[in-house]
Amino acid sequence: MSNSSSMAQFLLLALADRRELQLLHFWLFLAISLAALLANGLILSAVACDHHLHTPMGFFLLNLSLTDLGCICTTVPKAMHNSLRNTTTISYMGCAAQLFSFMFLITVEFFLLTIMCYDRYVAICKPLHYGTLLGSRACAHMAAAAWATGFLYSLLHTANTFSLPLCQGNALGQFFCEIPAILKLSCSHSGYRREIELLVLSACLVFGCFIFIVFSYVQIFRVVLRIPSEQGRHKAFSTCLPHVVVVSIFVSTAIFSQLKPPSISSPSLDLALTVLYSVVPPVLNPLIYSLRNQELKDALRKMMTGCF
């Protein structure tokens, strides 16, 4: 019997058995990483340099880009390294650090998306109170609360998960370290139950945020549909639709990945869903926001024109 204190390393999921496919996965992940770094880097530069984007939404978009950069740098480099070196191992401490970092960043991202929904709600439904409810100090406090809560949340989960005795081998069945994969290796019923209770509490919190997002957008769309001018409706929808798309992709893939019935579970499906909620959003988020945000597009165009 092995336990968590004596286990030196874990085995991650091999993305392919053939060497040619492993190299293909390496180049694919490299392209995804470079695209995410470029897109999010451009948004960070545009928001920082253009005073037109020094708004609450621009501030939260900057924080969102930081979490996207962190997510892609937490999971993908190790997968690229393993594909290139034809290995599947990750050290015990490396796995703990990866799980903590990913949980931290993904939690902060969800809280930021909830705050950005609140920003759109106030901007459209209570425009006269926007300056009061979303002043610079209020925005800083909300962002700090998101980062602090994400840190404490991920620290709690990581400490509890890696305190469990492990006796079911060391093969995780995922291409990076995540809680459900490690729980499958546990042989402690009490510790397993404690972590499940924490996950259920987390699911309730996520569900509460999701209900808030849905309720806010119901109110937003009711107000937008009453706007008399077509141009006004179009402008309101253009600021809200990117956020709706980002939240829908993020929440639907993450929830289905964790709550799908065991009868339809398979390694290939699990891998595809994990990639959808951990790797794809950092690439898609900046594209979705920039395509529908005229001020952001103008700032990016101005910045690119200045560079070339």
Side-chain angles (χ1 to χ4, degrees):
M1 178 182 292
S2 63
N3 57 52
S4 56
S5 62
S6 62
M7 188 173 294
Q9 62 184 16
F10 292 97
L11 298 179
L12 299 175
L13 178 68
L15 296 175
D17 296 326
R18 293 171 53 191
R19 187 60 184 154
E20 296 83 359
L21 291 178
Q22 290 175 345
L23 293 176
L24 177 63
H25 283 118
F26 168 81
W27 289 110
L28 180 61
F29 274 134
L30 178 62
I32 291 173
S33 299
L34 292 177
L37 291 172
L38 176 62
N40 286 287
L42 285 173
I43 285 186
L44 287 173
S45 301
V47 173
C49 298
D50 195 308
H51 70 277
H52 293 102
L53 295 175
H54 293 175
T55 61
M57 180 54 78
F59 173 71
F60 294 128
L61 189 56
L62 183 144
N63 280 266
L64 187 67
S65 292
L66 286 175
T67 62
D68 283 337
L69 283 175
C71 283
I72 206 76
C73 292
T74 297
T75 57
V76 172
K78 184 59 181 176
M80 291 171 56
H81 173 270
N82 285 356
S83 294
L84 188 62
R85 296 295 183 89
N86 191 23
T87 182
T88 61
T89 61
I90 184 172
S91 68
Y92 180 85
M93 292 305 298
C95 185
Q98 190 180 63
L99 186 145
F100 170 80
S101 300
F102 183 73
M103 285 289 295
F104 170 49
L105 293 164
I106 211 77
T107 303
V108 173
E109 179 156 341
F110 185 71
F111 285 142
L112 287 172
L113 290 173
T114 305
I115 294 169
M116 292 167 78
C117 171
Y118 175 69
D119 172 88
R120 292 300 83 202
Y121 170 77
V122 175
I124 293 176
C125 299
K126 300 180 182 295
L128 298 179
H129 302 283
Y130 188 78
T132 304
L133 296 175
L134 283 156
S136 58
R137 180 173 296 182
C139 291
H141 286 168
M142 285 189 282
W147 287 94
T149 304
F151 178 83
L152 294 174
Y153 172 84
S154 54
L155 184 64
L156 177 65
H157 273 292
T158 304
N160 187 67
T161 300
F162 281 89
S163 68
L164 299 176
L166 307 177
C167 59
Q168 304 293 329
N170 64 344
L172 292 181
Q174 269 299 353
F175 76 96
F176 70 94
C177 295
E178 62 172 3
I179 291 175
I182 297 175
L183 288 182
K184 292 178 182 178
L185 307 180
S186 173
C187 53
S188 169
H189 295 296
S190 60
Y192 182 90
R193 186 168 59 250
R194 186 169 63 248
E195 180 58 29
I196 291 296
E197 290 171 354
L198 284 175
L199 288 174
V200 169
L201 181 63
S202 304
C204 293
L205 179 61
V206 169
F207 185 70
C209 292
F210 183 68
I211 291 297
F212 172 78
I213 291 172
V214 171
F215 173 80
S216 297
Y217 273 107
V218 168
Q219 300 301 313
I220 288 171
F221 290 141
R222 287 178 60 187
V223 171
V224 169
L225 291 175
R226 290 203 296 265
I227 296 176
S229 68
E230 183 178 346
Q231 184 179 2
R233 288 196 300 271
H234 175 75
K235 183 177 181 180
F237 275 123
S238 68
T239 62
C240 294
L241 286 179
H243 187 258
V244 173
V245 173
V246 168
V247 171
S248 300
I249 294 173
F250 181 82
V251 173
S252 60
T253 54
I255 288 179
F256 186 70
S257 174
Q258 303 301 324
L259 300 180
K260 64 183 181 302
S263 58
I264 65 171
S265 181
S266 67
S268 57
L269 178 61
D270 293 346
L271 177 62
L273 289 171
T274 304
V275 169
L276 277 177
Y277 82 82
S278 64
V279 177
V280 174
V283 182
L284 284 185
N285 287 354
L287 295 176
I288 292 171
Y289 277 107
S290 60
L291 286 175
R292 300 293 298 182
N293 190 316
Q294 189 60 45
E295 288 185 345
L296 183 57
K297 284 195 291 186
D298 292 341
L300 290 172
R301 191 179 300 114
K302 187 189 303 181
M303 188 172 63
M304 298 299 290
T305 303
C307 291
F308 297 105

